[in-house]
Amino acid sequence: MNMMKQAGRIRPALLALAMSTAFAAPAEAGERESLEQLRSTTVGLIEALVQEGILSKEKAEGLIRKAEQARQAPASAANPEEVSTPAVAGAVGAQGDSNVVRVQYVPEFVKQQLRADIEKDVMAKLNYHVEEERLKLPGWLDRITFEGDVRLRYEPDRFSGRNLEELRYGTYVNRQAMIPNTQDDQNRYRVRARFGINAKLSDTFTAGIRMTTGHMDNPLSPNQSIEIRQSKLDWGLDRVFITAKPYSWLTATAGRFANPFFSTDMVWDRSLAFDGAAVTFTPKFNGGMSAFGTIGAFPIDQVRTNSVNKAKDKWFLGAQAGFEWVSPNHSSIKAGIALYDFKNVEGIQNNVDGFDSRYNATVMPYRQKGNNTFDVMQNGRSSCGTVTIPGTTFLGYSGDGCGLASEFQVLNLTGQVDLATFDPVHVILQGDYARNIGFDQKEILRRTNTLFEEENEAYQVKLTVGMPEMKHRHDWQAFIAYKRIEADAVMDAFTDSDFNLGGTNAKGTILGGSYGLDENTWFTARWYSTREVSGLPLSIDVFLFDLTARF
């Protein structure tokens, strides 16, 4: 890598040497001042090559010696005033003035071709080792880029005394069936590490992969608690994708990749990977105006359907359209409207004979908490509606029998105003609103025999002041936000995993800030203060103290 940087530094010097030799000779090439100036420049560049380790000292001295001999040879053969250089196609004038050297005109296209040939030759000769061996580095290295970060976190979680110590079966217990703890404060020490490789395959195609820490049964959080007894941390493939960009306004991506939609963490957790395929359109217009649109299909859970398993594949379709306007001072307004249509995520009830299991797999394979659920098994052995008491076994994922009561078709409006008047300090205001238009109280009653309240709206407002992104030393940022998510407004499996320790049926305030300690290293402190929207009392204060280093 150092040798590549070295090559990058000396490239301009070599080009300058070549260009000065080919074109820098003045029309009156007999002038001693110009020749001495060219000689001085050439000697200086040769000495620089020696210092960089590209040329040995012996070879450099040989080059200078040959140049000196070439300079002195014409002077001994004839009057220096009458010497004409062989590199110049000229002749002594017919008028008898032997002091005039006539230079033939070189067309511009010839000069350009010569420059290209010289650059190609110089770059071919640039592939040196310090000892003048060839580097022999493969060309694909120029198309590879690396990225990654490491984050250390201290997380104190504080539970209110108003929380019920022992949750009894009731109307709203099913929302909280996945809470392992409502009373005991805890302090967690966590880490996150990510490392990615991106490759430019051609002018159209790129590909990438990224590894990250995190438990393999959690699609959201890449955080992992650290303790000596754990021995090793889990490390998995978080991104694997191929992207095609045949036009500047069209991008298509398939595989496992980052969120392709303009959104906040109210609907999608920032760390969630999207599996599937998406196409994004970004046409640009005059006056700083542009539009964007994204469509995609994403599998959630692929189910093996057969005679004893009637559940279907879970997946969702997403579509979004919006616009962005950027002013001459880089202030901007951006807004988008999206519809996320989830397929086959609602639970279906088995027969009441206690032995039917055809629809067990309609249960979501991963949930946090908050969405209304019901018992799909009807055999009395389901943990749905049963709350785990601290110190007992924690149940809450696939196989627990808690099927989602509602269908989900989430209409999402997202907007952002970024004022760059005080650049580099920005004032950014974000707003987000979501409504589950798939919630149908009558249909839910028919399918579950339970009447659930219509709690299907969510919104968030956030104000940020400071640098939009933490990059440099002394960069800073402060933010405050308020969020309210009703029980069935969004899928509790995919929303922010830090707010209320994940899930829906929560409202509260977020307060925090970041400060740049050095280049690509910063400290962030955040406080989430939340409580339930409805149902049994649940108040949680989450503090996050993060030290992040990016490379």
Side-chain angles (χ1 to χ4, degrees), residues 238-298:
D238 182 48
R239 298 279 192 274
V240 51
F241 61 88
I242 296 176
T243 297
K245 193 168 185 177
Y247 307 101
S248 61
W249 50 269
L250 175 62
T251 303
T253 304
R256 167 169 286 197
F257 47 93
N259 183 354
F261 300 103
F262 171 52
S263 61
T264 73
D265 58 11
M266 188 181 75
V267 179
W268 307 112
D269 186 277
R270 295 295 186 188
S271 298
L272 177 66
F274 280 60
D275 294 51
V279 179
T280 298
F281 307 88
T282 54
K284 297 185 182 299
F285 309 106
N286 295 328
M289 182 67 72
S290 62
F292 62 90
T294 300
I295 56 175
F298 311 92

Side-chain angles (χ1 to χ4, degrees), residues 216-428:
M216 297 301 103
D217 59 354
N218 186 334
L220 301 185
S221 176
N223 300 308
Q224 196 158 354
S225 297
I226 54 175
E227 50 196 357
I228 293 177
R229 76 174 183 86
Q230 199 167 357
S231 181
K232 301 293 187 296
L233 301 179
D234 293 331
W235 185 254
L237 191 62
D238 182 48
R239 298 279 192 274
V240 51
F241 61 88
I242 296 176
T243 297
K245 193 168 185 177
Y247 307 101
S248 61
W249 50 269
L250 175 62
T251 303
T253 304
R256 167 169 286 197
F257 47 93
N259 183 354
F261 300 103
F262 171 52
S263 61
T264 73
D265 58 11
M266 188 181 75
V267 179
W268 307 112
D269 186 277
R270 295 295 186 188
S271 298
L272 177 66
F274 280 60
D275 294 51
V279 179
T280 298
F281 307 88
T282 54
K284 297 185 182 299
F285 309 106
N286 295 328
M289 182 67 72
S290 62
F292 62 90
T294 300
I295 56 175
F298 311 92
I300 298 173
D301 182 25
Q302 299 184 54
V303 179
R304 183 180 177 184
T305 303
N306 51 43
S307 59
V308 296
N309 181 15
K310 295 300 183 181
K312 299 179 180 179
D313 291 346
K314 302 175 183 66
W315 54 292
F316 82 90
L317 296 172
Q320 183 180 56
F323 74 91
E324 182 177 17
W325 174 77
V326 180
S327 71
N329 74 341
H330 302 295
S331 294
S332 64
I333 299 175
K334 188 174 184 179
I337 180 170
L339 178 64
Y340 308 114
D341 187 7
F342 294 85
K343 303 293 187 180
N344 307 319
V345 296
E346 68 277 6
I348 300 177
Q349 214 165 45
N350 291 316
N351 293 331
V352 295
D353 57 16
F355 297 98
D356 186 14
S357 61
R358 291 176 298 171
Y359 297 105
N360 285 3
T362 60
V363 172
M364 278 291 291
Y366 174 81
R367 285 188 56 223
Q368 297 190 90
K369 60 179 181 294
N371 289 159
N372 282 307
T373 61
F374 71 102
D375 184 2
V376 302
M377 296 182 181
Q378 296 197 94
N379 56 16
R381 297 191 297 271
S382 171
S383 63
C384 184
T386 303
V387 176
T388 322
I389 308 302
T392 65
T393 303
F394 171 45
L395 300 175
Y397 296 101
S398 59
D400 65 1
C402 297
L404 296 181
S406 176
E407 297 182 9
F408 283 84
Q409 293 177 317
V410 179
L411 183 65
N412 185 210
L413 302 174
T414 307
Q416 176 178 290
V417 177
D418 183 349
L419 300 178
T421 307
F422 311 102
D423 190 67
V425 175
H426 288 227
V427 179
I428 304 172

Side-chain angles (χ1 to χ4, degrees), residues 56-228:
S56 66
K57 185 176 181 180
E58 293 75 13
K59 179 162 285 190
E61 290 176 351
L63 290 174
I64 295 175
R65 192 163 46 249
K66 288 180 182 179
E68 186 67 23
Q69 292 173 356
R71 184 180 71 89
Q72 293 177 357
S76 60
N79 190 325
E81 303 277 4
E82 299 176 357
V83 175
S84 63
T85 173
V88 178
V92 178
Q95 304 298 325
D97 189 350
S98 61
N99 292 329
V100 177
V101 178
R102 304 191 182 280
V103 181
Q104 183 177 353
Y105 170 72
V106 180
E108 185 63 29
F109 76 92
V110 175
K111 293 181 181 179
Q112 292 176 357
Q113 182 61 47
L114 287 173
R115 288 191 183 98
D117 292 343
I118 291 172
E119 181 174 357
K120 182 178 179 180
D121 183 63
V122 168
M123 292 310 298
K125 294 179 180 179
L126 192 61
N127 203 11
Y128 292 116
H129 189 272
V130 173
E131 299 298 330
E132 298 182 21
E133 297 178 1
R134 294 185 62 80
L135 288 172
K136 297 182 180 179
L137 295 178
W140 57 263
L141 282 178
D142 296 333
R143 306 193 304 270
I144 299 293
T145 59
F146 302 93
E147 62 179 2
D149 61 71
V150 175
R151 185 178 71 191
L152 308 180
R153 168 174 290 180
Y154 170 54
E155 179 183 333
D157 299 330
R158 300 294 179 256
F159 298 89
S160 172
R162 67 187 288 271
N163 299 344
L164 291 184
E165 182 177 359
E166 193 170 315
L167 300 179
R168 296 183 299 276
Y169 183 82
T171 304
Y172 296 99
V173 172
N174 50 17
R175 294 186 195 165
Q176 306 188 12
M178 301 183 71
I179 302 176
N181 174 30
T182 63
Q183 285 284 311
D184 301 324
D185 295 343
Q186 56 185 343
N187 299 303
R188 296 196 284 180
Y189 305 90
R190 318 188 79 184
V191 296
R192 182 193 73 185
R194 301 184 297 191
F195 179 73
I197 302 174
N198 298 300
K200 182 177 180 180
L201 307 178
S202 65
D203 291 338
T204 300
F205 286 93
T206 58
I209 61 173
R210 190 179 77 176
M211 304 292 291
T212 185
T213 53
H215 298 289
M216 297 301 103
D217 59 354
N218 186 334
L220 301 185
S221 176
N223 300 308
Q224 196 158 354
S225 297
I226 54 175
E227 50 196 357
I228 293 177

Side-chain angles (χ1 to χ4, degrees), residues 446-486:
R446 179 194 62 79
R447 186 161 41 84
T448 68
N449 296 318
T450 305
L451 183 64
F452 291 102
E453 295 185 15
E454 188 173 356
E455 298 177 313
N456 62 337
E457 292 185 305
Y459 66 86
Q460 174 178 257
V461 290
K462 182 179 182 181
L463 176 65
T464 303
V465 179
M467 286 64 176
E469 186 178 0
M470 304 302 296
K471 292 183 178 180
H472 309 294
R473 188 177 185 181
H474 302 311
D475 281 357
W476 63 273
Q477 186 183 94
F479 51 86
I480 184 172
Y482 181 81
K483 184 187 299 187
R484 187 179 191 274
I485 310 178
E486 294 179 352

Side-chain angles (χ1 to χ4, degrees), residues 507-539:
K507 60 182 178 182
T509 303
I510 307 168
L511 184 65
S514 300
Y515 182 76
L517 303 177
D518 211 328
E519 296 296 310
N520 296 310
T521 304
W522 66 94
F523 175 78
T524 302
R526 281 174 287 179
W527 171 40
Y528 297 82
S529 181
T530 64
R531 61 183 298 167
E532 78 288 345
V533 173
S534 63
L536 295 173
L538 180 64
S539 297

